[in-house]
Amino acid sequence: MESSATKDEQSKPPSPHQPTTTSIPSSPTPPSSLQPPPPTMTEKPSSPPPPPLTTTPTMTTATRPLVVLQISPRTTQVLVRSLASFATLAATLIMVLSEDTAVLGSFSMHADYKSSPAFKFFLLGNAIACGYSLFSSFLMWQIGSSCFVHLMDMLAMGLVMAAAASASAIGYVGKYGNSHTGWFQVCNYFDKYCNKVGISFICSYVGFLLFYLVCAMTTLQKPKKNN
């Protein structure tokens, strides 16, 4: 009887209200020794920050240091004295080498520095100033400035000024004449000679200005030495 009852229960369909249970076969668990270790979270090493950008300064014309050439007062005086000697030497040579001859009818006239005492004085004054300027340049380079040299500089300046002024006065009369005294113009007949003499006058006046500059430099340097 029990077996028939069990057969009836197995053949009877399950009721909809009765829950059905299904069994899922469980997978065999591997032994703990064979299981892989759990992954560990490792932090990546942080990369160092990039180095700061450094710009190398470029030497431009605006930032380039200026090189100032410093010249000592003694060297400056030697240079100015040498220029004065060249100017007075040029005035002397041009006056010596300047000459001209003009033919007027049956007679001829010759013009050179011997024609006027003022031109002779001009030649002599510039020659003396030229020689002194060369000697004082050597003296200044060796021992420097002194009261004697300063006095001689003033005498040389006055000599060149007097020579240039006297010769310029005669040259003005020769070029333009003087109607009140009856002196007529001679540069109309000696054109080349007058032009050369005019250049000689200019060189002499340049020498006078350079000597004046030498005297001024010597005077300005004295208070600095005393201090």
Side-chain angles (χ1 to χ4, degrees):
M1 292 294 289
E2 290 180 358
S3 61
S4 62
T6 55
K7 288 182 181 180
D8 293 338
E9 289 178 359
Q10 290 179 359
S11 62
K12 188 184 293 186
S15 63
H17 298 286
Q18 184 179 359
T20 60
T21 60
T22 58
S23 62
I24 301 174
S26 60
S27 59
T29 58
S32 59
S33 61
L34 299 179
Q35 290 182 356
T40 59
M41 300 295 294
T42 58
E43 296 181 357
K44 295 182 179 180
S46 58
S47 59
L53 297 177
T54 58
T55 58
T56 57
T58 57
M59 297 296 291
T60 60
T61 55
T63 60
R64 186 174 299 170
L66 297 177
V67 178
V68 180
L69 182 61
Q70 295 182 355
I71 303 176
S72 62
R74 180 180 298 185
T75 306
T76 305
Q77 282 223 16
V78 171
L79 178 62
V80 176
R81 290 173 188 272
S82 301
L83 293 176
S85 65
F86 292 151
T88 51
L89 178 63
T92 303
L93 292 178
I94 293 174
M95 179 61 73
V96 170
L97 299 177
S98 297
E99 59 181 358
D100 197 2
T101 303
V103 178
L104 299 176
S106 59
F107 63 94
S108 62
M109 294 188 302
H110 184 74
D112 57 3
Y113 72 94
K114 299 177 183 178
S115 303
S116 172
F119 288 170
K120 294 180 181 179
F121 176 61
F122 176 86
L123 178 64
L124 183 62
N126 282 276
I128 293 175
C130 177
Y132 166 74
S133 182
L134 291 175
F135 174 72
S136 64
S137 298
F138 175 77
L139 197 64
M140 179 65 63
W141 185 261
Q142 294 296 327
I143 64 175
S145 181
S146 62
C147 293
F148 175 75
V149 174
H150 180 58
L151 178 62
M152 295 301 296
D153 290 340
M154 296 180 65
L155 291 177
M157 180 188 67
L159 179 62
V160 175
M161 180 182 64
S166 61
S168 298
I170 299 301
Y172 181 85
V173 174
K175 185 174 181 62
Y176 299 103
N178 192 342
S179 59
H180 299 285
T181 57
W183 294 341
F184 61 93
Q185 302 175 4
V186 295
C187 285
N188 295 333
Y189 307 100
F190 305 100
D191 191 13
K192 294 181 180 179
Y193 174 76
C194 289
N195 292 334
K196 293 179 179 179
V197 168
I199 296 174
S200 179
F201 293 164
I202 294 174
C203 294
S204 182
Y205 279 112
V206 171
F208 160 71
L209 293 176
L210 291 172
F211 274 113
Y212 179 80
L213 181 60
V214 167
C215 294
M217 291 171 60
T218 306
T219 304
L220 292 176
Q221 288 173 9
K222 283 183 178 181
K224 296 182 179 179
K225 292 183 178 181
N226 293 333
N227 292 335

